[in-house]
Amino acid sequence: ASLPVLAPPPRQAARPALVAPPLPAPVPVREAAVPQISRKLAVVIGNDAFIDDRIPWLDNAVHDADSVARVLQTRLGYQTVVIHDATREAILGALNRLAVQARPTDSVLVYYAGHGVVVDATGMGYWIPSNANAELPKTWVSNNDIDRLITRMRASQVVLVSDSCFSGSLVSSQSVTVSRSERTPSAFLGHRAALVMSSGGNEPVADGAIGGHSPFAQSLITALGKVTQWEPGYDVFEQVRQDVTRQLPQRPRYGPVRNGPYVQGADYLFEFRQLATAR
């Protein structure tokens, strides 16, 4: 006799984050591999739950976001804001805060885990916030909005990491090119970098087993945990790309933000850093 199939427990109603929390106050640095970077800020977004019943819930986006935020804080010294089930207003508010408050000597990372779509008729890509209407793209977050806010940030080091379907539509067709002689922190910091790391191309991507991580998030967490001094973003990406493509027909991408300028030799720096903590 076969075992009975049990229905999964009902999910609680979505409780969207309506507004973006403020960015954290500066914290003294105890140890830094690249002290020229004055402050590191990360906004980490994970969207599992949605108000509109027509949008399927995800299993691991919030868990992925929490785990990525943990390695960013404890291993790489980012001051981190985490937003669960962010509304459109919370996502745009967080990016606007970074655009206004980040300084030229700061390093900024934005991580998004959640649904992504491309509208066939227009070719436009979107993130799906927790309060989206499934039939109204104006309630989503467009690539144009994301591009505009990323390129407006004054920080010299900016990277957007997007773990969502069709996230490759955020990445320019340009390649990141760095000569051997330019592979020093001073050389990297001499160019403004606004880059995107995506979990795939213009394709669906895997969410992973329930209670685990997406394959991309797990690979990213592992790669970031190996940074002992500093690593160019492209090198970290290559570790992630090779690990993901060994498991899945999924093609992560890395390159300049789609509509932003790119200077040859620019790349993002992932750096080991420890923040001072209160006694």
Side-chain angles (χ1 to χ4, degrees), residues 40-241:
K40 297 167 72 173
L41 295 168
V43 168
V44 179
I45 301 165
N47 280 8
D48 273 340
F50 303 89
I51 292 174
D52 191 328
D53 291 338
R54 295 168 294 181
I55 302 173
W57 285 28
L58 295 170
D59 294 310
N60 299 318
V62 166
H63 182 41
D64 290 345
D66 288 344
S67 297
V68 168
R70 190 175 302 113
V71 73
L72 292 176
Q73 286 182 235
T74 62
R75 184 78 186 174
L76 303 181
Y78 286 85
Q79 295 181 249
T80 304
V81 170
V82 182
I83 312 175
H84 294 169
D85 300 328
T87 60
R88 185 176 190 274
E89 295 75 18
I91 293 171
L92 294 177
L95 296 181
N96 266 303
R97 278 212 175 106
L98 285 171
V100 170
Q101 297 181 23
R103 302 170 300 199
T105 54
D106 289 341
S107 176
V108 169
L109 184 148
V110 177
Y111 175 89
Y112 170 78
H115 279 307
V117 298
V118 167
V119 175
D120 291 336
T122 63
M124 177 61 69
Y126 297 85
W127 288 347
I128 303 301
S130 63
N131 62 340
N133 181 311
E135 295 183 351
L136 291 179
K138 69 179 182 181
T139 66
W140 311 344
V141 178
S142 75
N143 283 0
N144 284 343
D145 289 331
I146 299 163
D147 286 344
R148 176 175 54 82
L149 290 168
I150 293 295
T151 54
R152 277 181 54 198
M153 292 179 191
R154 293 178 297 164
S156 61
Q157 291 269 293
V158 181
V159 68
L160 167 65
V161 182
S162 184
D163 188 2
S164 63
C165 296
F166 307 102
S167 53
S169 59
L170 288 160
V171 187
S172 165
S173 59
Q174 289 181 278
S175 299
V176 175
T177 54
V178 180
S179 68
R180 186 173 298 277
S181 63
E182 292 180 303
R183 288 177 63 89
T184 67
S186 295
F188 284 121
L189 296 177
H191 305 297
R192 185 178 184 274
L195 298 161
V196 180
M197 185 186 302
S198 71
S199 59
N202 292 326
E203 61 197 352
V205 299
D207 186 31
I210 295 175
H213 291 300
S214 78
F216 175 83
Q218 183 60 68
S219 299
L220 178 66
I221 291 164
T222 300
L224 294 179
K226 293 178 179 177
V227 176
T228 58
Q229 288 294 312
W230 59 270
E231 294 284 347
Y234 185 83
D235 291 7
V236 171
F237 165 72
E238 273 298 297
Q239 296 177 54
V240 174
R241 183 191 66 78

